[in-house]
């Protein structure tokens, strides 16, 4: 009990400066092999050979290993391949309300940009991260899929449920 109270006091005391500067959180379930195959399903696809993009719209779901990303609209940008042809996926830009799930961790935001080479997902706009019964909110979150960590910035708020059920005690 004393340890829980001390943790809550530390979090609230830490919340002021941390909210302005950013908060590092463990994101262990989000480690990802960025070289794994990427599977995309959607209602519609428009391919632009000129600029090397593919626009997926309507119920878009992207899977890579254990990670799943869902959004109404995802623009896939391909790196230039050999002989000027289309190469591998360089990055993906998901918009319109995005959900990113891996294991028991989930994150929601208005937008997500996945840079496959860097192994990062940048989520912006009303970010909500849930880890079990705990929740964190911010305006921006950068997930490092290699290290399994995330950096949150922009008025960070944390809700920690002490009973582990995901609901507060009465």
């Amino acid at each position: 009990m004393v340890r829980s109270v001390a943790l809550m006091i530390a979090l609230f005391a830490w919340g002021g400066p941390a909210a302005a500067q950013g908060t590092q959180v463990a994101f262990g379930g989000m480690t990802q092999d960025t070289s794994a195959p990427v599977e995309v399903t959607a209602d519609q696809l428009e391919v632009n050979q000129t600029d090397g993009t593919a626009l997926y719209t309507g119920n878009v779901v992207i899977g890579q290993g254990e990670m799943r990303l869902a959004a109404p609209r995802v623009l896939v940008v391909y790196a230039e391949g050999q002989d000027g042809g289309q190469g591998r996926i360089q990055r993906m830009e998901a918009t319109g309300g995005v959900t990113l799930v891996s294991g028991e961790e989930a994150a929601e935001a208005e937008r997500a940009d996945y840079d496959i080479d860097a192994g990062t997902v940048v989520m912006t706009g009303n970010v909500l991260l849930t880890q079990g019964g705990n929740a964190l909110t911010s305006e921006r979150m950068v997930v490092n899929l290699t290290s399994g960590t995330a950096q949150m910035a922009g008025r960070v708020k944390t809700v920690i449920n002490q009973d582990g059920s995901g609901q507060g005690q009465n």
Side-chain angles (χ1 to χ4, degrees):
M1 178 69 175
V2 172
R3 188 171 141 185
S4 295
V5 171
L7 176 63
M8 291 303 290
I9 291 170
L11 283 171
F12 285 117
W14 180 53
Q21 297 173 359
T23 300
Q24 182 94 13
V25 294
F27 222 55
M30 286 292 193
T31 56
Q32 177 65 29
D33 176 7
T34 58
S35 66
V38 176
E39 180 180 308
V40 182
T41 59
D43 294 338
Q44 188 172 341
L45 168 63
E46 296 176 30
V47 177
N48 185 331
Q49 295 290 349
T50 305
D51 66 2
T53 62
L55 178 62
Y56 292 89
T57 54
N59 302 307
V60 183
V61 177
I62 299 172
Q64 185 180 38
E66 296 295 315
M67 185 175 67
R68 297 287 177 268
L69 184 144
R73 180 184 185 278
V74 176
L75 179 68
V76 177
V77 179
Y78 292 91
E80 190 173 311
Q82 294 178 350
D83 302 324
Q86 186 171 302
R88 61 181 170 56
I89 296 173
Q90 181 178 359
R91 69 179 194 277
M92 291 183 264
E93 302 169 2
T95 56
V98 180
T99 302
L100 179 67
V101 177
S102 184
E104 293 185 20
E105 297 176 319
E108 297 177 3
E110 293 170 10
R111 177 184 180 97
D113 294 304
Y114 179 16
D115 183 329
I116 293 178
D117 292 338
T120 59
V121 178
V122 178
M123 300 184 78
T124 54
N126 298 314
V127 178
L128 169 64
L129 168 64
T130 57
Q131 297 176 311
N134 303 322
L136 294 95
T137 61
S138 68
E139 282 304 309
R140 176 180 165 93
M141 177 173 71
V142 179
V143 180
N144 182 318
L145 297 172
T146 305
S147 67
T149 60
Q151 179 76 28
M152 300 184 81
R155 196 66 187 154
V156 178
K157 178 180 177 181
T158 305
V159 177
I160 299 173
N161 287 299
Q162 298 302 314
D163 65 357
S165 70
Q167 300 175 358
Q169 292 180 337
N170 293 329

